[in-house]
Amino acid sequence: MIRGESKVTRSHLERVTIVYVCQSTLVQIREHAESTRRQYDLADLAARMGWDGCDIEVIDCDLGLSGRSAAR
């Protein structure tokens, strides 16, 4: 059994799950590649826990962009 799997109910699986991949700078992406990969792997974990692939959304559009500024 996957850790936490017993807590996932039908109600959960009827909703979209979101994986937000976050690294604030390009340096973090380069130097912490394992962390970035593990964050992406959360989408695979959601699938193993029962979510349908079309109900797993990965958000990474601001990967490498710092939140210190509202620019871009």
Side-chain angles (χ1 to χ4, degrees):
M1 179 177 287
I2 298 171
R3 187 172 142 200
E5 183 178 30
S6 63
K7 296 180 181 181
V8 176
T9 67
R10 179 183 304 272
S11 173
H12 293 109
L13 297 175
E14 291 172 351
R15 296 183 242 163
V16 171
T17 188
I18 296 174
V19 175
Y20 179 62
V21 181
C22 179
Q23 293 288 0
S24 296
T25 67
L26 293 175
V27 171
Q28 283 183 336
I29 293 170
R30 242 186 343 266
E31 293 181 1
H32 305 287
E34 175 72 9
S35 173
T36 304
R37 184 192 60 76
R38 291 180 65 138
Q39 290 179 60
Y40 279 109
D41 286 349
L42 291 172
D44 294 330
L45 176 61
R48 290 194 313 272
M49 292 180 81
W51 270 270
D52 190 73
C54 64
D55 290 330
I56 301 170
E57 182 177 344
V58 177
I59 298 175
D60 61 359
C61 57
D62 61 350
L63 191 59
L65 301 176
S66 173
R68 286 186 287 178
S69 167
R72 297 190 285 156

